[in-house]
Amino acid sequence: MIHLEPVILKKQRRLIITWSITFLVLFPLLIFLGFLMRIGQGEMKKLLLANFYSLMTLHGIGMMSVLFSFAFAILWYLISTRFARLNIWVGYFVYFTILIAVAGLTIAILIGKFDTGWNLLYPLPFRGATWLSWSTGVSIISLVILGIAWLVGILHLLYSLSKEFGGFTNLLGWQYLRKKEVKKELSPIVLVTTVSLIPVLLAFLDGAIMLIMYLLQFIEPRLKFDPLLLENITLFFGNTFVNTTLFCGVGWVYALLPEFTDREWKTDKVLVYFWNATFLLIVFAYFQNLYMDFVEPVAIQYTGQVVNYLSAVPATIITMFGVIVQFYHSKIKWNIIPLMFLFGIAGWAIGGFAATVESTMAIHKILHNTMWLPAHLHTTMLMGLTLFIFAFLFYFFSDKGKQYGDKVAKLGLWLFVIGGYGFVLTFYIEGIDSIPRRYARYTGIGIKSMHDTAVHQAQIAVFFVVILLVGLFIMYYSLFRKLLKKKVKPNF
């Protein structure tokens, strides 16, 4: 643990408060976009097709950008106040650069009607476009700016940690594998942060190559690229980005949960082996998205099957075992923060299991292009990472002596969990019934029973989203009540 001067600590607190308020404003707005899409699919209100795909694009890109950005901001705060000195002005550069990029994407999508979906899968941005041509360029440039912001922040954080712990290999915990005595203990959050952020750096490099190619074709339309190559680049970026975002959230579970169980969670050889295995496997996990590409080399397909099974094992096993050990006979007081951590780990594991099921080749060809895919994605992100984030927010905005017994917030949490699982369950049911994903309307389904099932499940989803939003705003009320009390000082 480092010792920070009060002035520096205050500045880091102001930065995370700024991030927190921004997240709390944007998050329900992005949920509302998904709510509107389910209303349209449930035929409860007529939405223009173009509006649906614009909403889908903004919801997808926006939600993933906001979740990763705030997850990184939380890691920044925890690292900067406990383990390494980080430059506050780099932090603000990252924050404002991301705001500029998000503003550009919002303009391109809402005004320019850019609606390719989150992945901009080539050659879609340049063929059959129904959106204004300038919106393609604005979207590409905004994504480049977004990548630059993340890249600067991640490199600064990893460089500072490396300097503090004596080298990059020490951040991966390799010193625990030697026979020599470990001179400086490595916190699990530092190990998990490193394992999370290094693969995403590779993903950003990959994404930069893709965006440069897109920008070149936007400037010179006569240029053509190999669609299969760009599909591989896009899917590697997207899959790695999603996985590492989830791991970022797991990082502060390791750091904060022990404060409620009064048990240490130390780094040891087993933890190092398991997370290093995750570090090596995660970059190959995207192979599951290539099963349907019959032109891919067969070796890649079989490798993808094996790697996808293996990649889900190390981090999940070691984390869930650690959480069980933390809770078992700990005499913990079940206030909202440990409850959120418990529910978050459950959502992370359930969504991960559903993703692993879908990664089986024989099942993949049936489920991949159905609503099963958004089902497991929303489970891990909404019922996993989001609950980790709110656990941190309640932790940060609470006095240590007043972290217990917030009945209002706990009511909001239960409504959020009931609404969230009811919502994602409709996706799973539709997936099992082979309802296709990315349909703005189910009128295109030629089988009446499938159409009726899809519409009915979308209507049920709308009901559960309302419950989720009620729970969310109850938690908001509790959070802002804590924030606005002048006497309450944030933790640490």
Side-chain angles (χ1 to χ4, degrees):
M1 296 284 285
I2 60 171
H3 175 72
L4 287 181
E5 297 81 1
V7 175
I8 298 176
L9 183 59
K10 189 175 182 180
K11 289 179 179 179
Q12 293 291 356
R13 283 176 175 170
R14 284 177 179 171
L15 177 59
I16 194 61
I17 290 172
T18 303
W19 265 115
S20 299
I21 294 173
T22 305
F23 169 79
L24 291 170
V25 170
L26 293 178
F27 183 65
L29 293 177
L30 292 168
I31 288 181
F32 186 67
L33 297 181
F35 180 62
L36 290 177
M37 287 189 286
R38 290 306 265 167
I39 286 176
Q41 290 175 328
E43 299 179 1
M44 301 167 73
K45 184 175 178 60
K46 189 173 181 179
L47 295 173
L48 294 175
L49 293 181
N51 289 339
F52 177 90
Y53 291 107
S54 293
L55 294 178
M56 185 183 75
T57 303
L58 186 55
H59 175 75
I61 295 178
M63 190 64 84
M64 284 309 307
S65 299
V66 167
L67 288 175
F68 177 79
S69 297
F70 191 55
F72 175 73
I74 294 173
L75 287 180
W76 175 286
Y77 180 75
L78 291 173
I79 296 298
S80 68
T81 55
R82 298 184 177 203
F83 305 108
R85 293 176 178 271
L86 301 179
N87 190 310
I88 190 68
W89 298 114
V90 174
Y92 276 108
F93 169 81
V94 173
Y95 173 78
F96 284 110
T97 308
I98 288 174
L99 281 189
I100 293 170
V102 170
L105 284 168
T106 304
I107 291 170
I109 294 169
L110 294 184
I111 298 177
K113 302 298 181 184
F114 186 73
D115 57 7
T116 63
W118 72 266
N119 51 15
L120 288 77
L121 199 57
Y122 189 84
L124 184 59
F126 307 103
R127 288 190 191 173
T130 58
W131 50 87
L132 299 176
S133 60
W134 61 264
S135 65
T136 300
V138 172
S139 297
I140 294 170
I141 293 171
S142 297
L143 289 171
V144 170
I145 294 172
L146 197 59
I148 290 171
W150 287 334
L151 189 63
V152 169
I154 291 171
L155 287 175
H156 178 64
L157 189 150
L158 290 175
Y159 171 75
S160 300
L161 280 175
S162 179
K163 192 165 65 171
E164 185 72 26
F165 285 89
F168 174 70
T169 57
N170 287 343
L171 298 183
L172 291 172
W174 290 6
Q175 65 273 30
Y176 288 87
L177 307 181
R178 306 185 189 108
K179 293 182 179 180
K180 296 180 181 179
E181 182 182 354
V182 176
K183 295 181 179 179
K184 185 171 185 176
E185 288 292 329
L186 181 72
S187 173
I189 188 178
V190 176
L191 171 62
V192 175
T193 297
T194 305
V195 170
S196 301
L197 297 183
I198 294 296
V200 90
L201 282 179
L202 298 176
F204 289 156
L205 177 61
D206 170 272
I209 293 170
M210 177 191 76
L211 291 172
I212 289 170
M213 295 169 76
Y214 277 19
L215 193 58
L216 289 173
Q217 186 161 340
F218 176 74
I219 296 170
E220 178 46 76
R222 289 176 295 179
L223 285 174
K224 304 294 177 187
F225 299 107
D226 183 355
L228 186 63
L229 171 64
L230 280 166
E231 182 190 25
N232 275 263
I233 291 175
T234 303
L235 294 178
F236 171 75
F237 168 78
N239 199 82
T240 306
F241 183 71
V242 169
N243 283 331
T244 51
T245 302
L246 290 167
F247 290 152
C248 286
V250 173
W252 61 82
V253 177
Y254 280 85
L256 302 182
L257 185 57
E259 294 188 21
F260 297 89
T261 60
D262 290 325
R263 289 179 176 172
E264 287 187 290
W265 200 338
K266 286 188 173 183
T267 300
D268 54 24
K269 284 186 178 181
V270 177
L271 194 72
V272 171
Y273 278 127
F274 274 67
W275 276 103
N276 273 259
T278 301
F279 175 73
L280 294 173
L281 291 169
I282 193 174
V283 294
F284 301 103
Y286 89 100
F287 282 177
Q288 69 158 311
N289 295 290
L290 307 177
Y291 292 159
M292 292 188 179
D293 294 334
F294 57 88
V295 295
E296 295 282 355
V298 176
I300 287 183
Q301 304 287 32
Y302 285 116
T303 302
Q305 179 69 91
V306 175
V307 169
N308 271 282
Y309 279 157
L310 293 178
S311 63
V313 172
T316 306
I317 287 180
I318 196 65
T319 301
M320 294 193 69
F321 179 78
V323 169
I324 291 169
V325 170
Q326 284 286 315
F327 283 133
Y328 185 67
H329 283 187
S330 65
K331 296 181 180 180
I332 189 173
K333 293 182 179 179
W334 287 101
N335 72 83
I336 189 170
I337 300 169
L339 272 176
M340 282 181 167
F341 281 141
L342 182 61
F343 281 129
I345 287 291
W348 178 58
I350 293 168
F353 176 76
T356 303
V357 168
E358 195 230 322
S359 72
T360 305
M361 286 185 181
I363 299 175
H364 182 90
K365 66 181 182 182
I366 299 171
L367 291 181
H368 183 67
N369 284 322
T370 71
M371 296 295 279
W372 186 274
L373 190 142
H376 69 70
L377 180 63
H378 281 79
T379 305
T380 51
M381 288 298 174
L382 183 64
M383 308 312 299
L385 179 63
T386 299
L387 289 176
F388 293 153
I389 287 174
F390 276 97
F392 169 81
L393 288 171
F394 274 96
Y395 178 86
F396 180 76
F397 288 120
S398 297
D399 272 345
K400 288 187 177 180
K402 297 181 180 179
Q403 288 178 357
Y404 303 101
D406 193 336
K407 294 181 179 179
V408 174
K410 197 178 288 187
L411 171 64
L413 172 63
W414 282 107
L415 289 174
F416 184 91
V417 170
I418 292 169
Y421 275 109
F423 167 67
V424 297
L425 182 60
T426 62
F427 281 153
Y428 284 116
I429 292 172
E430 288 183 84
I432 292 171
D433 287 331
S434 296
I435 306 301
R437 59 189 173 104
R438 294 193 181 129
Y439 269 40
R441 296 286 180 279
Y442 293 126
T443 50
I445 300 176
I447 303 172
K448 187 177 185 302
S449 60
M450 288 182 66
H451 166 269
D452 293 345
T453 298
V455 170
H456 183 60
Q457 291 301 323
Q459 292 170 350
I460 295 174
V462 168
F463 169 74
F464 279 111
V465 173
V466 171
I467 295 176
L468 181 148
L469 287 171
V470 171
L472 182 68
F473 286 120
I474 289 174
M475 290 193 293
Y476 269 43
Y477 167 75
S478 179
L479 270 176
F480 278 102
R481 187 177 61 180
K482 295 176 186 296
L483 179 61
L484 295 175
K485 283 184 179 179
K486 295 181 179 180
K487 293 182 180 180
V488 172
K489 294 181 180 180
N491 272 302
F492 44 84

